[in-house]
Amino acid sequence: QGSVPRSFACMKRSRGADTSMSDDSLVLVTADNKSGFKNVTYDLQSRRYELRVQVGGKRKHLGAFKTAREAAVVYARTAEGKADAAAQQRPTGADAAAHAVRAAEREGLLLIPADRKDSTTGYKNVTHNVEQSGVRKYKLQMQKKGKRLSCGLFGTAEEAALAYARTPEGRADAERLRRPAPVPRTAAAIEAVQQAEREGLTLVLSANATGYKNVTVDQRKSKCQLQVRAAGRQQTIGLFDSPEEAALAYARTPQGRADAEQQQR
């Protein structure tokens, strides 16, 4: 038979002594039930409010109280009650997203934008799974040692992006993004940059080896390759002599213009 955790046992023995709200930091854990508090139910026979919690897979009785509030105070003083209270106080939805953005600013972090056009969240390594049960539908996945690993589920894309921003990989991406735009090394590259300025276009930067979104180096052909995702497939748009020329071609596309607007916000 499983034993009641020490924290629960102490609470049960002391329930008659003090169930007041003397601790200003104490937060009662509410619930959508008749008592209004988690783990608290009313017993018609005893005419008391019963406090029961799940411990080691078994339901444990922690006491009977005159009021639901007294039972809730006892639960709030347990380690489990404090954990539930902390979870209850966490912001959700738009508030949680804004909180994550502010936390990133305070910590000097950068939420890394997605480098794929088909991203539904706008953040790197963050996906939205609408079929996921519960409120945490945003998944953070990272590539490590050749394997795609799940790093957690979050209530908002911003919370997941913040978690990635705190990793060494996220910090490295931020460092690359914060670097000045790559310096054009050839006459054709310089001309591409100047042409973008003449057309009022913005070359979309990225945390990759070339410094520009959707632009990679084809080592076999010694060319820069521009690829975009369209109709669910990765399509090659062309090969160019410099990253800047490829970036200019992308900046002229509707996707490139949209990404440029997001980059400039």
Side-chain angles (χ1 to χ4, degrees):
Q1 181 178 359
S3 60
V4 177
R6 186 175 179 182
S7 62
F8 282 153
C10 292
M11 289 296 172
K12 186 175 180 180
R13 288 195 298 271
S14 65
R15 77 182 193 281
D18 179 18
T19 55
S20 66
M21 288 284 289
S22 58
D23 186 353
D24 292 338
S25 64
L26 201 62
V27 176
L28 302 188
V29 183
T30 58
D32 186 16
N33 58 24
K34 290 183 179 180
S35 74
F37 299 105
K38 184 173 182 179
N39 293 327
V40 178
T41 57
Y42 184 70
D43 183 73
L44 290 173
Q45 290 184 334
S46 64
R47 295 184 180 180
R48 294 264 180 160
Y49 286 89
E50 306 281 342
L51 175 59
R52 289 183 172 85
V53 297
Q54 196 80 11
V55 180
K58 294 185 178 181
R59 196 76 171 160
K60 298 293 183 180
H61 181 259
L62 299 186
F65 306 84
K66 290 182 179 179
T67 68
R69 187 180 182 82
E70 287 178 303
V73 168
V74 169
Y75 181 61
R77 286 183 174 143
T78 67
E80 291 75 8
K82 290 177 180 178
D84 280 344
Q88 177 178 279
Q89 290 182 299
R90 290 191 193 109
T92 59
D95 289 339
H99 184 270
V101 171
R102 289 194 298 270
E105 292 173 351
R106 286 195 304 270
E107 297 174 34
L109 300 173
L110 181 65
L111 303 186
I112 308 301
D115 51 9
R116 294 172 61 102
K117 183 60 186 177
D118 61 342
S119 170
T120 58
T121 67
Y123 296 105
K124 183 174 182 179
N125 292 331
V126 179
T127 57
H128 183 208
N129 185 359
V130 294
E131 297 180 357
Q132 176 71 37
S133 60
V135 295
R136 297 187 175 188
K137 296 181 182 293
Y138 292 88
K139 180 185 286 187
L140 173 61
Q141 290 181 304
M142 294 172 56
Q143 195 81 13
K144 290 188 177 183
K145 295 181 179 180
K147 293 184 178 180
R148 192 75 171 164
L149 301 178
S150 177
C151 301
L153 294 171
F154 302 84
T156 67
E158 288 75 11
E159 289 172 289
L162 175 60
Y164 178 63
R166 286 169 171 161
T167 67
E169 294 85 351
R171 293 177 187 274
D173 281 345
E175 185 179 344
R176 284 192 288 270
L177 282 174
R178 283 172 172 150
R179 290 175 191 159
V183 177
R185 299 181 180 277
T186 66
I190 294 172
E191 174 59 27
V193 173
Q194 293 174 343
Q195 184 60 35
E197 292 175 355
R198 286 194 290 268
E199 295 179 29
L201 299 174
T202 299
L203 303 186
V204 182
L205 303 179
S206 177
N208 61 23
T210 67
Y212 295 105
K213 185 171 183 178
N214 292 330
V215 179
T216 57
V217 176
D218 188 327
Q219 300 289 354
R220 293 175 301 174
K221 299 179 180 179
S222 298
K223 294 280 188 177
C224 291
Q225 181 174 251
L226 173 61
Q227 289 183 311
V228 298
R229 195 159 189 90
R233 292 184 178 183
Q234 195 78 359
Q235 298 181 0
T236 298
I237 303 302
L239 295 172
F240 303 84
D241 290 328
S242 69
E244 289 77 10
E245 291 171 277
L248 174 59
Y250 181 61
R252 287 169 171 160
T253 67
Q255 299 98 317
R257 292 177 187 273
D259 284 341
E261 287 182 12
Q262 184 176 0
Q263 178 177 284
Q264 292 175 309
R265 285 174 191 164

